[in-house]
Amino acid sequence: MGKIFAIVSTVLGSIIGAGFSTGQEIFYFFSQFKETSIFYVSFSSILILLILLYLLDIKVKSRVILKIFRAYILLFSIITLIVMFSAFGQLGEEFLGVSRYVFTLLCFVLSIAIFKHGLLAVVNINKVVVSILIITVGFVFLKSVYKNEIVFQIESLKYTLPKNIFQHIISPLLYSAYNSLLAFPVVNRLKERFHKEEIKLSIVISSILIFLLLSIINTLLLSKNNVQTSQMPLLKAEKSIFLQSILVACTFLEILTTVLANYMGLCYSIKNSKAEFVVITISLLLGFNQFQVLLRKLYSLMGYIGLSIIVMLILSTILSKDRRLK
């Protein structure tokens, strides 16, 4: 169970980044659907499960396709790093009143220091941070229910297909593709320390927890109209200074864990420490831009590219007997 907990925490830590722990990503991708959000949250959670299980086992023989996949992971890691650096700075400015440039640099320094200690350091920090975040979010939710501050948006489980079905389906597809590929380099590294069956079980558990967290946070955001214009809506949803402080601290740490996941993505794609450092430095400089603008524009873009990559991989493995990705 200790191994499963470590893997689950690490997989979740690679997905629960700035957009997730601040609520901005959930609001953008799911809350727009109001009372039917639960269907899209469910759809995304199932897709994340299926994509991660698929990526765990495949192998691509074609060098061209493998190079395209590595190039995507590289681009993906760079763009996510830019957003994470920006989020760390924005969080410091919004809640601590310190220049976001200072906190962006702090994120860079701390992440490099942690990453130098290897995969074990990443696993250990995730075990602590993910546990605290889950407990705190659950407590905030139950507290809001007890005080009748939660207005459940699901009036009925009856669902009719909307007229603009493409617009409704594309959001969960983009979210699933983006976050599955975000977790892939981490899952790939976990194979060095854990058995494949342990990782598969952990992916199943992680998907269930993602569904629960998405549902809880989405309900909180929909019930509190006053937070929906904030760049950090979840952090503004709790009035208690103590609980808000825990959420802010968790968000700082979750941003770091996502940065570490993307460092693994760079290692998977580049395999050259000097080139990796140059890429990280460029990402840092670009990360001085506004968090909300970066997240909304770049995440959707990478989601579309990610969908294309996943379709490409599926087609390549259908035509090949050997289905493992090196």
Side-chain angles (χ1 to χ4, degrees), residues 208-224:
I208 295 171
L209 290 174
I210 287 169
F211 167 75
L212 293 174
L213 284 170
L214 285 174
S215 300
I216 289 172
I217 294 173
N218 184 56
T219 303
L220 283 168
L221 297 181
L222 287 172
S223 299
K224 299 176 184 289

Side-chain angles (χ1 to χ4, degrees), residues 25-198:
E25 186 179 80
I26 296 169
F27 180 75
Y28 179 64
F29 282 101
F30 299 110
S31 299
Q32 60 176 304
F33 302 118
K34 304 298 180 183
E35 67 274 3
T36 58
S37 298
I38 187 67
F39 294 104
Y40 302 102
V41 167
S42 304
F43 184 44
S44 286
S45 304
I46 292 170
L47 282 178
I48 289 173
L49 166 66
L50 295 177
I51 294 171
L52 284 178
L53 290 175
Y54 171 72
L55 291 176
L56 183 65
D57 279 331
I58 68 168
K59 179 178 180 180
V60 178
K61 284 186 173 182
S62 169
R63 291 185 178 182
V64 174
I65 293 177
L66 190 56
K67 284 182 179 179
I68 293 173
F69 182 74
R70 289 185 183 276
Y72 172 79
I73 294 295
L74 174 59
L75 177 63
F76 183 86
S77 300
I78 293 171
I79 286 180
T80 309
L81 279 177
I82 294 170
V83 176
M84 292 303 110
F85 285 139
S86 174
F88 204 90
Q90 183 67 38
L91 192 62
E93 183 175 74
E94 191 163 333
F95 287 92
L96 300 177
V98 180
S99 169
R100 60 191 177 90
Y101 299 104
V102 173
F103 265 82
T104 301
L105 287 170
L106 179 62
C107 181
F108 172 78
V109 173
L110 289 175
S111 59
I112 292 292
I114 296 171
F115 192 66
K116 283 186 176 180
H117 288 82
L119 179 63
L120 187 59
V122 177
V123 171
N124 287 333
I125 191 173
N126 274 304
K127 285 195 293 186
V128 176
V129 179
V130 170
S131 300
I132 295 173
L133 181 66
I134 290 174
I135 292 170
T136 306
V137 168
F139 186 79
V140 169
F141 178 75
L142 292 174
K143 177 171 169 277
S144 297
V145 171
Y146 178 74
K147 291 187 174 183
N148 294 319
E149 295 175 356
I150 287 291
V151 178
F152 288 99
Q153 299 294 318
I154 307 172
E155 297 176 357
S156 171
L157 290 178
K158 294 179 181 179
Y159 181 65
T160 56
L161 290 177
K163 294 179 181 179
N164 51 345
I165 184 66
F166 177 77
Q167 182 184 346
H168 282 63
I169 293 297
I170 196 64
S171 282
L173 281 174
L174 295 178
Y175 182 85
S176 306
Y178 180 88
N179 284 288
S180 300
L181 289 168
L182 177 62
F184 165 73
V186 175
V187 171
N188 193 55
R189 284 288 296 274
L190 288 171
K191 289 191 291 186
E192 299 173 5
R193 299 183 65 92
F194 302 98
H195 296 298
K196 189 175 291 185
E197 294 306 315
E198 293 173 334

Side-chain angles (χ1 to χ4, degrees), residues 100 251 285:
R100 60 191 177 90
T251 302
L285 296 175

Side-chain angles (χ1 to χ4, degrees), residues 274-317:
K274 291 182 179 179
E276 289 167 16
F277 188 78
V278 171
V279 169
I280 293 170
T281 304
I282 293 172
S283 301
L284 170 67
L285 296 175
L286 294 173
F288 290 127
N289 289 292
Q290 286 288 329
F291 164 61
Q292 188 180 51
V293 175
L294 286 172
L295 185 145
R296 293 194 171 192
K297 288 184 178 180
L298 297 180
Y299 274 30
S300 292
L301 172 64
M302 294 309 293
Y304 279 111
I305 300 174
L307 282 175
S308 301
I309 294 293
I310 291 170
V311 170
M312 179 192 72
L313 290 174
I314 291 173
L315 290 175
S316 68
T317 51

